[in-house]
Amino acid sequence: MRDNQSLDAVLGSLSATAASEVPADFMDGVWQRAGQLGEIADRRRRAALFAGLFVVGLGAGAGASEWPGGFGASPAPFGESLILGEQLSPSALLHVEP
């Protein structure tokens, strides 16, 4: 009950004072800030999408190529076992045998 009385007293003192005028450019500032927040959100979204595409592309590139120096788990990569051991890389296709 004590809190209600102090709240009523504060509200009464606020209602007795004259309301200050809002500056004319107040809404312009509000819309400008809203635009800035929208730009920040768009920038974060683009950065997250770029990072996701980078990780997917990096994973796809690593999955499509062989590990150098025999670091793979099996001696023959999975792609070679599907095509019966044929070497279809560009360097192997360009190699000319006499």
Side-chain angles (χ1 to χ4, degrees):
M1 222 173 181
R2 183 174 163 217
D3 292 335
N4 290 337
Q5 292 172 352
S6 63
L7 181 61
D8 289 337
V10 170
L11 289 175
S13 66
L14 286 175
S15 66
T17 60
S20 61
E21 293 261 340
V22 177
D25 62 344
F26 176 74
M27 286 307 293
D28 292 336
V30 169
W31 288 114
Q32 181 181 10
R33 183 64 181 154
Q36 289 172 349
L37 292 175
E39 290 174 3
I40 291 169
D42 287 342
R43 229 179 294 140
R44 287 180 182 163
R45 188 177 302 115
R46 281 193 303 265
L49 286 173
F50 173 75
L53 286 174
F54 180 77
V55 168
V56 168
L58 196 61
S65 64
E66 296 180 14
W67 290 102
F71 288 119
S74 64
F78 181 69
E80 286 184 4
S81 65
L82 287 178
I83 56 174
L84 302 176
E86 294 180 26
Q87 290 288 332
L88 296 179
S89 67
S91 61
L93 293 175
L94 292 176
H95 180 70
V96 178
E97 294 181 19

